[in-house]
Amino acid sequence: MPAPSSLVARALKRSAALAGAAALGAGAFALPAHAQTPEPEVHVAFDEPVQAGADFATGSIGLEFGDDFTPGEHDVFAQLSVYGEGWELAPGETDDGACTLDAIPPQWVNCDAADAEAEIDFAFDYRIDAGVPSGDYEWALLVSVDGTALEPVHGTVEVAAGDDGESPFLYESAELEIDSGSTVGAGPVYYQEGEIPADTAALVYGVSAPEYILAGTAEVTAPYDNCVDGFNGGPGVTCVVTDFPDEVGSAMTTTQPVEFTVFREVPGPIELCGCYFEVRALDAAELDAEFGDVPTTGDLFGLSVADGSHDPADFASWGPVTIRTTPNHPFDLAVEDANIKGGNGDQVTVTLPVENFGPADAWTFFDGPGSYALVGELPQGTEFVSIASDESAYCREFSDDFLGETLPAIEDRDAADFVCIFTSIPRMETYDVELTVKVTDEDADAKGVLQIVAIQYDGHPGAIEGETDDNRADLTLNGTTGSGQLPKTGSSMTWILAGAGAALVIGVVLFIATRRRKTAAEPAE
């Protein structure tokens, strides 16, 4: 059983699924390296194998630039992420630059070196919870030089299970499909593989809820006298059972259901979390320190031996709880036809409304720069000047260096002229985008195109939108309706639906990651 101090790290755990989303935000949307940007040789070092449950150790991020790097003339940023359950990173002591903890998630650490030397050695502290399984865990390093991101570097770190991390409990995975706006009750099952410590005063049964990017999509509650909101310092529920079954070789279930609620604004179908549940044994001192007096009468949450036979092979060392919404609650993004009116030499601004007709919110699914994009090609006879919106979107000209070399082959790389990227678009909301162009040929009759798309990356979040016919609109000059370069029935920009995750990026390195930097925090003892 982990010591109570490890609860600090436990409170900050995130599921592998959400770590993947974070990696997508910082990695898949990173700008490719510019041809003239100096690139370093990268060395990331852990003291391997990392012993699960051990105290903080110190690792290093080494960057060695070549002769094309002039010392003192470049600013260097590095972000290290480790993926999987139970990791915690913290800033280490370094002479080459400042590292800060990105507290959500704790498995990221950001390091900066202004006016950097050609050889940089950042230090970071790390640990991983007791009880995590042995194996190789992936890490990724993102490096930027003077605001231009280089290609991510990936590797693995070996972890050895801690000697004091053994638990007598194994877990059965639970998968729940829930209608948006509905609640279901469930009691994920665990298995007692070994002896519970003789001095155990209570079993603590906890279930996590969606957090981080998908926080607020669903909640997990248990309205009983011996249950409290929250689980290991995050969203969820924790129940303390003092009268518990103790039968080695038996599967255990709950006497009362845990309630899982998905809010009505959440679209479907979508997987909301790789949440988890856990059972811990506490002795009397630990019980008093964490919970104080626990009710023993009233409406109590309890545990009992599950009916029927259960195969231990169906249980694992951690308990995933997957929440999915049913496929009957889409959002409906829309963009309208727009007409640019003006004569030769005029500078004209036209409003492009981006709408979501609901019934669900177009939710945030990626950790930057956004999850939705308005992409446009100008009609002939116009020249791009500017594109702007309020703080709900990031807008810019769409250029070839913005696309980078990470795209799959497309029909026409030069099709798009501008883009606005939205983090989310709530139901029944309209965002106005202001497009300004210069009219160069008032009689041109080849129309442009507007397209609002939901960004996809490696199949996530999947097909949610119910109506896509209104995702595309004409952009005309002086009401012309010529056949145009992009017919209404199809567009050379449809690649965006599948490839945007690798291409639609903000021209400032790691926008979301750097925007969310926190003050350095002391590592847990």
Side-chain angles (χ1 to χ4, degrees):
M1 179 178 62
S5 62
S6 72
L7 295 175
V8 176
R10 284 176 171 273
L12 296 173
K13 286 201 299 185
R14 295 175 58 235
S15 70
L18 291 183
L24 169 63
F29 289 112
L31 279 171
H34 190 276
Q36 273 111 22
T37 300
E39 299 191 39
E41 183 177 337
V42 173
H43 306 277
V44 175
F46 295 82
D47 185 11
E48 299 185 63
V50 177
Q51 197 73 26
D55 292 337
F56 273 91
T58 299
S60 65
I61 303 168
L63 305 176
E64 297 181 12
F65 291 91
D67 295 338
D68 56 347
F69 185 95
T70 304
E73 294 187 3
H74 298 281
D75 295 335
V76 177
F77 169 77
Q79 181 187 76
L80 177 68
S81 308
V82 287
Y83 307 141
E85 290 290 332
W87 280 101
E88 184 179 0
L89 299 186
E93 295 184 5
T94 178
D95 295 330
D96 291 336
C99 293
T100 58
L101 174 65
D102 193 341
I104 303 176
Q107 56 218 71
W108 292 7
V109 66
N110 296 330
C111 301
D112 286 285
D115 303 326
E117 297 297 319
E119 294 188 8
I120 304 172
D121 188 21
F122 294 119
F124 64 94
D125 293 333
Y126 63 89
R127 67 176 304 279
I128 190 168
D129 284 356
V132 299
S134 300
D136 291 332
Y137 289 70
E138 184 181 358
W139 57 260
L141 182 70
L142 305 174
V143 177
S144 75
V145 179
D146 300 327
T148 297
L150 309 180
E151 290 293 335
V153 178
H154 299 271
T156 59
V157 53
E158 180 185 358
V159 172
D163 296 334
D164 59 348
E166 295 298 326
S167 168
F169 306 121
L170 298 174
Y171 305 96
E172 186 176 62
S173 61
E175 296 192 4
L176 306 172
E177 188 173 69
I178 305 174
D179 290 332
S180 298
S182 300
T183 299
V184 301
V189 176
Y190 69 96
Y191 184 86
Q192 186 175 332
E193 182 184 38
E195 297 285 348
I196 296 176
D199 60 352
T200 298
L203 294 185
V204 177
Y205 183 103
V207 186
S208 68
E211 56 179 324
Y212 192 45
I213 298 171
L214 294 177
T217 57
E219 66 177 2
V220 180
T221 57
Y224 312 112
D225 294 338
N226 58 332
C227 298
V228 296
D229 292 336
F231 173 54
N232 283 346
V237 67
T238 300
C239 299
V240 183
V241 181
T242 56
D243 184 11
F244 51 86
D246 183 2
E247 293 190 24
V248 176
S250 295
M252 308 294 175
T253 189
T254 64
T255 60
Q256 304 269 38
V258 175
E259 296 182 352
F260 297 83
T261 300
V262 174
F263 300 116
R264 71 180 184 89
E265 299 87 355
V266 179
I270 186 64
E271 184 173 317
L272 297 182
C273 75
C275 300
Y276 70 105
F277 78 106
E278 180 184 62
V279 180
R280 295 186 292 122
L282 300 184
D283 61 29
E286 293 167 337
L287 177 63
D288 181 66
E290 289 193 42
F291 298 99
D293 294 332
V294 177
T296 56
T297 59
D299 186 11
L300 300 181
F301 176 93
L303 301 168
S304 64
V305 177
D307 293 335
S309 60
H310 296 266
D311 187 350
D314 295 334
F315 296 79
S317 58
W318 76 293
V321 178
T322 301
I323 301 174
R324 295 187 181 91
T325 55
T326 53
N328 57 4
H329 199 55
F331 51 75
D332 179 14
L333 303 179
V335 61
E336 299 178 2
D337 291 343
N339 184 37
I340 300 166
K341 296 180 181 180
N344 290 342
D346 290 347
Q347 186 165 293
V348 180
T349 298
V350 60
T351 299
L352 311 176
V354 174
E355 303 171 89
N356 176 10
F357 294 131
D361 290 348
W363 204 270
T364 299
F365 291 113
F366 300 123
D367 184 21
S371 298
Y372 309 92
L374 171 68
V375 187
E377 179 183 0
L378 295 174
Q380 284 187 1
T382 62
E383 181 180 284
F384 178 84
V385 176
S386 66
I387 182 80
S389 183
D390 59 21
E391 292 183 357
S392 62
Y394 170 79
C395 299
R396 61 158 288 168
E397 184 176 10
F398 205 100
S399 56
D400 190 64
D401 65 322
F402 181 62
L403 288 171
E405 299 300 326
T406 58
L407 280 174
I410 59 175
E411 180 180 342
D412 184 359
R413 175 178 289 275
D414 298 322
D417 291 304
F418 58 86
V419 61
C420 285
I421 304 177
F422 298 83
T423 301
S424 63
I425 307 176
R427 69 193 189 287
M428 309 313 295
E429 288 285 338
T430 299
Y431 293 140
D432 288 337
V433 174
E434 302 296 327
L435 170 66
T436 301
V437 300
K438 181 181 178 180
V439 178
T440 58
D441 182 358
E442 61 189 38
D443 297 320
D445 63 356
K447 62 188 175 184
V449 64
L450 302 170
Q451 189 173 8
I452 182 70
V453 297
I455 294 173
Q456 302 285 322
Y457 182 78
D458 198 23
H460 181 77
I464 301 175
E465 190 165 7
E467 173 62 60
T468 58
D469 288 346
D470 53 4
N471 286 23
R472 189 184 178 284
D474 289 333
L475 182 59
T476 56
L477 173 61
N478 293 321
T480 55
T481 56
S483 59
Q485 301 170 7
L486 297 171
K488 194 76 173 183
T489 56
S491 166
S492 63
M493 290 194 292
T494 55
W495 56 268
I496 293 169
L497 291 168
L504 293 178
V505 293
I506 286 180
V508 181
V509 62
L510 304 179
F511 173 79
I512 295 297
T514 54
R515 185 181 65 178
R516 205 185 53 242
R517 293 184 199 176
K518 307 295 182 181
T519 304
E522 292 296 325
E525 295 296 332

